[in-house]
Amino acid sequence: PMDVFNVLQKEHDEIRQLFDSLLKQDNVDQQQLQLLCYKLLVDMDAKERFLYPQLEKTGDAGMYKMEHDAARAIIDSLQKPNMGDLEIKTKLQAMKIPGDIYANMLENTTFKKAREVLSEQQLQEIGQQVETYIESRMQTFQLSTNATATAAAY
């Protein structure tokens, strides 16, 4: 079993790849954009549910809440219909830069602090919870996109 940081590191890597892929596209792939937005929301939810309550002791949780609120506002604004590719990419860039800084800080600083306040067993348990949560939410997303795609095909 992976500890929570390995699970989140894997998620962050997938999210970075989606950002990079979308920012390179001339015509933004809407399905990929939806996947990125969904993955970001699930990632933030998972941390807020399972990790941050355990990190209250380190005093870092409040800062992440602000970061998440800012990201959610941009994700909301990306749901606007008929947005041009340039506008979408500008919003993605506005989210990616602080997102990278935040993810790096989380990976380099917070994870180290958390190892001091949480036991290896706690880290494994939280990792299991986060992984299960992310997997089940991603299955829901696959089902809903398949349903949408099926509906659109008819």
Side-chain angles (χ1 to χ4, degrees), residues 11 22 25 34 37-38 48 50 67 90 96 98 103 109-111 117 152:
E11 271 308 294
L22 281 160
Q25 296 168 11
Q34 290 308 315
C37 290
Y38 193 80
E48 287 166 9
F50 305 109
E67 195 64 51
T90 304
K96 183 182 190 312
T109 310
T110 309
F111 290 0
V117 294

Side-chain angles (χ1 to χ4, degrees), residues 31-45:
Q31 254 186 323
Q32 218 178 19
L33 178 63
Q34 290 308 315
L35 176 62
L36 171 65
C37 290
Y38 193 80
K39 272 182 111 38
L40 282 166
L41 291 170
V42 170
D43 179 75
M44 291 186 289
D45 280 350

Side-chain angles (χ1 to χ4, degrees), residues 90-101:
T90 304
K91 287 176 187 285
L92 286 176
Q93 197 65 55
M95 197 167 31
K96 183 182 190 312
I97 295 166
D100 275 346
I101 294 168

Side-chain angles (χ1 to χ4, degrees), residues 108-125:
N108 298 322
T109 310
T110 309
F111 290 0
K112 284 190 183 88
K113 281 191 198 171
R115 288 192 189 284
E116 294 164 15
V117 294
L118 300 171
S119 71
E120 196 51 48
Q121 187 185 346
Q122 284 173 304
L123 294 173
Q124 299 275 346
E125 283 166 10

